[in-house]
Amino acid sequence: MDASTLLPKLVLLLPYLAVAVLTLFVSDFLLTTRERSNLSKQILTGNNAVGLRRLGLYLGTLIGFSGILAGESSGNLTTDLTNTGLYAVLLIAMMQVALWVNDAVILPNVPNSAAVRDGNLAVAATEVGSMVATGLIAQAAIGGANGGYLPVIAFFALGQLALVLMTLSFSLIHRKCDLVREVENGNLAAGVIMGSKFWAYGLVIAIAAGGA
C-alpha cells in the first residue's frame, strides 16, 4: 500500500479516533465522579487500585468500541459518524451499568468506589474482569447489530445476568473459601481469580453473541 492510498484512509480515520478519545474521556469523568475523589491526588499517592480500575475501564471500553468500528458502513460519512456516536453513548452507559452491577450485586457488602479509593486491589481486580467481559460482549453484539440497538441491549443484559449467576456459583466451586467475602476483605488472589473468571466467561458469551 503506497502513500497515495494510505493517506486518505488515515484522514478518514481521524473523526472516529476523535469519537474514541471522547468516549474514554466521558467514561473516565463519570468514573471519577462515582469515586468522589481527586484522580490526580490518587495517582500521586500511588493508589494502585485506582490505576487498576481504570485499566479495566479503558480496556473494556476500547474493546467494545472496536465492535462499533467493525460494523458495516452505510457509505455516508455523516451517517456513519452519527451511528458511531450513538453506539458510543450506549457503550458508555453499559460500562457504567456494569460498574453498578459489580457494586450492588456482585460485591454487595462493600461500596466498591470507597474500597478502591482506600486501595483495595482485590475489588479493582474483580472490576477489571467484569469490565473487560462487558467490553467483549459489547464488541460482539455491536459488531453484528444488524437489528439495531435492542439486540445489543438484550445481549448486554443477558451477559450481566450470566456474570451474576457465575458469582453465585463460586460458592459451590470454592467451598473452602468464600471468594466474594475474600475480595471484599482485600484478598488480591481472590480478586484475580474472580476477575479472570469474568474475563474468560465474557469471552465465551461474546463468541455466542457474535455467532447469534
Side-chain angles (χ1 to χ4, degrees), residues 182-199:
E182 289 299 315
V183 168
E184 293 172 341
N185 290 336
N187 186 329
L188 180 57
V192 170
I193 290 172
M194 278 191 68
S196 299
K197 286 177 180 288
F198 287 154
W199 191 321

Side-chain angles (χ1 to χ4, degrees), residues 95-172:
M95 298 305 293
Q96 293 301 312
V97 171
L99 283 167
W100 178 84
V101 170
N102 262 281
D103 200 351
V105 184
I106 293 177
L107 300 172
N109 296 321
V110 60
N112 288 16
S113 292
V116 171
R117 192 170 58 242
D118 292 339
N120 191 322
L121 285 169
V123 170
T126 301
E127 289 190 329
V128 168
S130 175
M131 285 187 280
V132 170
T134 299
L136 288 167
I137 295 168
Q139 178 196 44
I142 295 174
N146 296 323
Y149 301 105
L150 287 180
V152 176
I153 296 172
F155 266 110
F156 165 75
L158 290 173
Q160 293 301 305
L161 177 61
L163 294 181
V164 171
L165 293 176
M166 288 167 195
T167 303
L168 296 176
S169 72
F170 291 160
S171 60
L172 298 177

